[in-house]
Every structure is written in structure tokens, then in C-alpha cells.
Amino acid sequence: MSDTKSVGSGASSSSNNKNGASPNEPAGNIVPTSYSTDFMSFLKGVLSFTGDLSSLTCPSFLLNGISLLEYGAHWSDYPHVLAEITKATDSVERMKLVARWFVSTLYGSYNKRVAESNTGEKKPFNPILGEQFLAAWDDPTYGETKFTCEQVSHHPPVSAIYFENVKAGIYGSGHFSQKSKFKGTTMKVVQDGRVTLRMKNSDEVYCLSLPSLNICSILSGKPFLEMSNTTFIRSSKGYTAEFHWHTKPWLYGEYHKFDGKILKDTAAKFVQNGPGQEYLFAMKGKWVGDSYVVNQKTGEEQILFDVGAQPAAGIIIKPVEQQSELESRRVWHKVSEALTSGNYDVASKEKTDIEENQRKLRRERVETNKEWKPTLFTWVDDADAEENVKSSYAYLNSAVSSVGTGSWVFNNSLQSSTKSKSVSEASGTQTPSDAFSTAQSSVL
């Protein structure tokens, strides 16, 4: 295929997906040979379980050594793609750039671990209550993008995220939780939550829902993720992006394909193919490779995003010894070390010690009637939100109820006219604005 113009300033693509994912299932089995019997026993328990699978204890040999909290950082894998949204001069172009950014977050979130190791997807740690993950990225043009995540609930598990680029004047917050159950031989994961994106140079707000996931090939010990169902982006000025994620058909077809459209819709609630909708662009491609957007009036095709055209930015994280006791890599350091060395018995013991300590703290709060509250985020019901946020989520709720009726909002976001230091001063916890100002960081 000849070179095609790209949305934004990204490089053109000739469909040589050098850095993207393999279209095939992973070759490597995640189960050590000596643990095959334990794996089969675990599977029998899982297949007979009728509740939310997140409440089951996973054998240590199936853990990947990373907290689920870290997965939220993939919303900033390509900081320049996020920052370039602010260069749009109108709502139509801005929605294309928001759609491009959203697609750029998917490969790291749901496929990169399998694609780069060619082994199956393992399970992350369930974050402890109040756990935090702080990170940053540097871009030569747009400067620093900062990210924070906090576990704001344990039952049910809910992670809240915030990211910002002060120089570009763009920031977003959101939260996600997952409910999983087996259906046939596939684990179905429904993601509840939302992400809200704002810019300093525009009063337009963008509200996003989250995709559902299928975890396939679990019985073979080579699990990998596919996305399913439909995801939406809604702007407060009446533009909608609609993504349909396709799982591979049983006998034919390809993995990880999607299609969708960008349309103008002034209705208060979403209706599929509703009256008055103006169909502006079609979207198509693979979320692990290259994807395209097609102007429905002119037929012009542009690259939406190409995973293989550019690597993700290097993430900056403080060394473990400089992290607070609640930061993810310090919380799980001993468990991760044991997993890396293949000492699964030690990993299980260290993980159990962490979980038992959390149960002890929970009992103490009950006995003293002390309510735990998040340090960095506050819950805001849609009824109390700004009108443009309230109306946008009302529109989405008519299509996907998983967005819920409220948001976890970062206490010290760019939405404030001045950055308050009250959170960090009161708790000793660093926020994205100061987390990297004093400590020497490591680039991974």
C-alpha cells in the first residue's frame, strides 16, 4: 500500500507493522511444567465458580508481577498524541484527534505484554486499598506528561486515574473496575467506568466509555485478550465516535479488528442510526496495528493510528527505595522479586502477608468506626457535575450503562485556576505536580 496521510502529525504508514502485535495466538505457555497439576485443579475451581472471578485467589505462578493499577498508565503511552489534540481548530478535527488518542491507548493496555513476550497473558496483582502509582513521560516538543492512579475502593475494586500535560493544557480523569465470569471456555470481563478529557484552550469536554474484554485460550495455558462490544466517545458539542470491537470468528477471519464512525448527533440520548445524525467519518482497521479514518463526503482516507510506526514513550518511575509505602512497586516489590526468580512459594507467602495486613487494617477500621477515604480523588455524582459533563454522560448512559452516574475526580487537577498543595501537605503524598521534582527517576 502506498503512503497515506496521517491524522495529526504522526508518521505516514506503508502498513509495515514492525512494532505491532503478531496476528496469531501466543506460542508460549504461562504454566511451568512442574505446576501443570496445580493449574488443572485451579481451572476446575474456576469453571465451577458462579460469582465474580476477581474474588478468587490466583496461584502465584499465574501472576505477572505488576499491579493492575499500573495498567492505567497506558492512557499516556503516546504523550504527543494526547498533546496534539489541543492543536485542533474545530470540533470535527478535535474529535478525530481524540479518537486517534483513544486508539493509541489500547495496544499497551490489552496486547503489548503478549505480543512482546509471545507468551500468554498473566494476571496482575489486585491493588490494595489506597495504593498509588505515579509516572511521567518526557516529550521534546510538548514537555512532561504526568500520571497518577489511586485504588479508591477494594470491595468492589475501583481504580481512579488522572493525567495532565501542563504545557499543552490538556488533562483527564477517570476510573475503572472489572467484573469477570466464565462463559463457555472464555472469560468475559465487563469494565465499568469512564474517562473525561478536558483542554484549557476549549470548553468542549469529551466523555469516554470503556471496552469489554474476552480472555481467550485460558484452558490451553496461553491466554490473550480480545476486545468486544461497543465503546463511545461523546463531546459536549454534539459529536460522537462509535467503535465496534470484533472478536475473531470461529472458523475464519482475523483477530483485533474494529470499525466505527464519527457523527454529529444533537439528540439528548443515543439512538442507533437515529434521525438527524450526520455521518462524517468511517473508522476501520486493527487496534493492534494500523487503523484508518475515511471522510464520508470526499472519500479521503487518513491513518488514524499505526502502532508499528512509532514506539511508545519511555515511562519515568521513581526507584522503589524512593517510593512511599503506598506506591505500587514498593507495595509488591518482594512478591515481584520472588516471581522473577521463579520462587513461587516465597511469592505466595509475601502476597499472603500483604493481604492479611489489609484484612487487619479493615477490621481495625470497623472496630473503631473509622471511615477510609481516598487521598487524591473525590467522588462527584453527575447530578452535581458541570452541565456539559452531565449531559454528555446522560447521552452515553442511554447506550452503555457501564459508564455509571458519577466520576472520581482528581483533587488537584488543571481545572483549578491555581494548583493547591493541600493534599500533599496534609498527607505527605506527592501529586503529579511534585512527584518528580525532587527524586531521581528511572526511565524504563
Side-chain angles (χ1 to χ4, degrees):
M1 182 182 292
S2 60
D3 283 1
T4 305
K5 184 179 178 183
S6 174
V7 173
S9 64
S12 296
S13 169
S14 55
S15 296
N16 293 321
N17 192 11
K18 296 178 181 179
N19 299 317
S22 166
N24 302 315
E25 299 178 21
N29 197 301
I30 64 172
V31 183
T33 304
S34 58
Y35 286 86
S36 297
T37 301
D38 298 285
F39 178 62
M40 294 308 298
S41 298
F42 173 67
L43 279 182
K44 289 178 182 178
V46 168
L47 291 171
S48 61
F49 190 74
T50 56
D52 182 6
L53 293 174
S54 64
S55 62
L56 288 178
T57 299
C58 182
S60 59
F61 59 83
L62 297 179
L63 299 173
N64 67 7
I66 302 171
S67 173
L68 180 63
L69 215 58
E70 289 199 29
Y71 286 27
H74 292 298
W75 287 93
S76 303
D77 270 348
Y78 297 89
H80 71 283
V81 175
L82 172 67
E84 284 176 357
I85 296 171
T86 62
K87 295 171 66 175
T89 57
D90 59 58
S91 295
V92 175
E93 184 64 23
R94 193 176 297 116
M95 177 58 90
K96 287 167 59 180
L97 291 173
V98 172
R100 172 192 180 222
W101 162 70
F102 174 59
V103 173
S104 79
T105 71
L106 302 175
Y107 172 67
S109 296
Y110 306 122
N111 190 260
K112 182 178 181 179
R113 294 171 295 278
V114 169
E116 294 189 352
S117 68
N118 202 25
T119 58
E121 183 81 63
K122 289 189 173 185
K123 184 184 180 300
F125 301 131
N126 292 330
I128 65 171
L129 186 64
E131 183 179 327
Q132 298 172 10
F133 180 72
L134 303 172
W137 299 258
D138 278 323
D139 182 86
T141 302
Y142 296 102
E144 190 173 43
T145 297
K146 297 175 181 179
F147 172 87
T148 192
C149 189
E150 182 179 21
Q151 192 70 7
V152 294
S153 173
H154 191 67
H155 295 292
V158 180
S159 305
I161 65 171
Y162 175 78
F163 49 90
E164 68 177 24
N165 184 299
V166 175
K167 183 176 181 180
I170 190 166
Y171 57 105
S173 62
H175 66 273
F176 58 88
S177 63
Q178 299 176 332
K179 299 176 183 177
S180 53
K181 63 180 180 178
F182 257 99
K183 185 175 182 181
T185 59
T186 299
M187 184 184 296
K188 302 284 187 179
V189 181
V190 175
Q191 295 198 109
D192 292 334
R194 54 171 66 176
V195 171
T196 307
L197 186 69
R198 295 178 170 90
M199 286 138 271
K200 297 288 282 184
N201 67 351
S202 172
D203 60 354
E204 194 163 14
V205 175
Y206 291 82
C207 302
L208 293 77
S209 65
L210 305 175
S212 296
L213 307 172
N214 290 356
I215 306 178
C216 311
S217 297
I218 294 176
L219 301 185
S220 69
K222 302 175 183 180
F224 67 97
L225 296 175
E226 287 194 280
M227 296 202 306
S228 61
N229 296 338
T230 302
T231 304
F232 295 87
I233 304 173
R234 176 65 173 176
S235 91
S236 57
K237 293 190 176 179
Y239 292 89
T240 299
E242 182 180 342
F243 301 84
H244 303 282
W245 314 108
H246 302 297
T247 58
K248 181 182 177 296
W250 182 253
L251 296 175
Y252 60 91
E254 299 177 87
Y255 288 112
H256 310 313
K257 296 185 71 174
F258 79 94
D259 59 51
K261 56 189 175 182
I262 295 174
L263 51 91
K264 178 72 181 291
D265 185 7
T266 57
K269 302 210 171 177
F270 175 79
V271 177
Q272 187 69 51
N273 299 319
Q277 292 180 353
E278 182 182 359
Y279 186 10
L280 302 175
F281 299 94
M283 297 181 289
K284 60 181 180 179
K286 290 189 173 184
W287 57 268
V288 300
D290 47 4
S291 55
Y292 301 86
V293 59
V294 182
N295 188 308
Q296 291 303 284
K297 289 184 177 179
T298 66
E300 178 189 10
E301 182 176 274
Q302 292 178 284
I303 297 164
L304 185 61
F305 188 73
D306 185 353
V307 172
Q310 52 197 316
I315 189 170
I316 303 169
I317 303 168
K318 288 185 299 182
V320 171
E321 61 271 15
Q322 296 180 15
Q323 295 185 11
S324 73
E325 292 183 355
L326 282 175
E327 289 186 63
S328 295
R329 294 197 178 183
R330 183 166 175 183
V331 170
W332 299 103
H333 179 61
K334 291 182 179 180
V335 188
S336 297
E337 278 193 333
L339 291 174
T340 300
S341 63
N343 198 331
Y344 299 116
D345 291 337
V346 172
S348 295
K349 178 185 179 304
E350 295 290 349
K351 179 171 175 287
T352 298
D353 288 347
I354 292 170
E355 293 166 345
E356 285 300 324
N357 184 57
Q358 289 299 302
R359 294 185 183 102
K360 177 184 175 183
L361 293 173
R362 186 160 59 249
R363 287 194 298 269
E364 290 175 353
R365 287 194 296 270
V366 172
E367 291 169 0
T368 59
N369 197 30
K370 184 177 181 180
E371 181 184 3
W372 182 89
K373 292 184 178 181
T375 302
L376 301 176
F377 291 83
T378 300
W379 176 260
V380 177
D381 283 315
D382 284 345
D384 299 321
E386 315 99 292
E387 185 57 39
N388 53 5
V389 173
K390 185 189 308 183
S391 60
S392 295
Y393 279 118
Y395 177 94
L396 288 186
N397 242 309
S398 60
V400 280
S401 60
S402 60
V403 297
T405 57
S407 301
W408 283 101
V409 177
F410 188 59
N411 296 331
N412 200 27
S413 76
L414 280 179
Q415 191 170 9
S416 305
S417 57
T418 59
K419 289 260 184 177
S420 170
K421 296 293 184 181
S422 59
V423 173
S424 58
E425 290 172 354
S427 66
T429 302
Q430 291 179 308
T431 69
S433 294
D434 58 16
F436 307 96
S437 60
T438 58
Q440 180 181 358
S441 301
S442 58
V443 180
L444 304 185

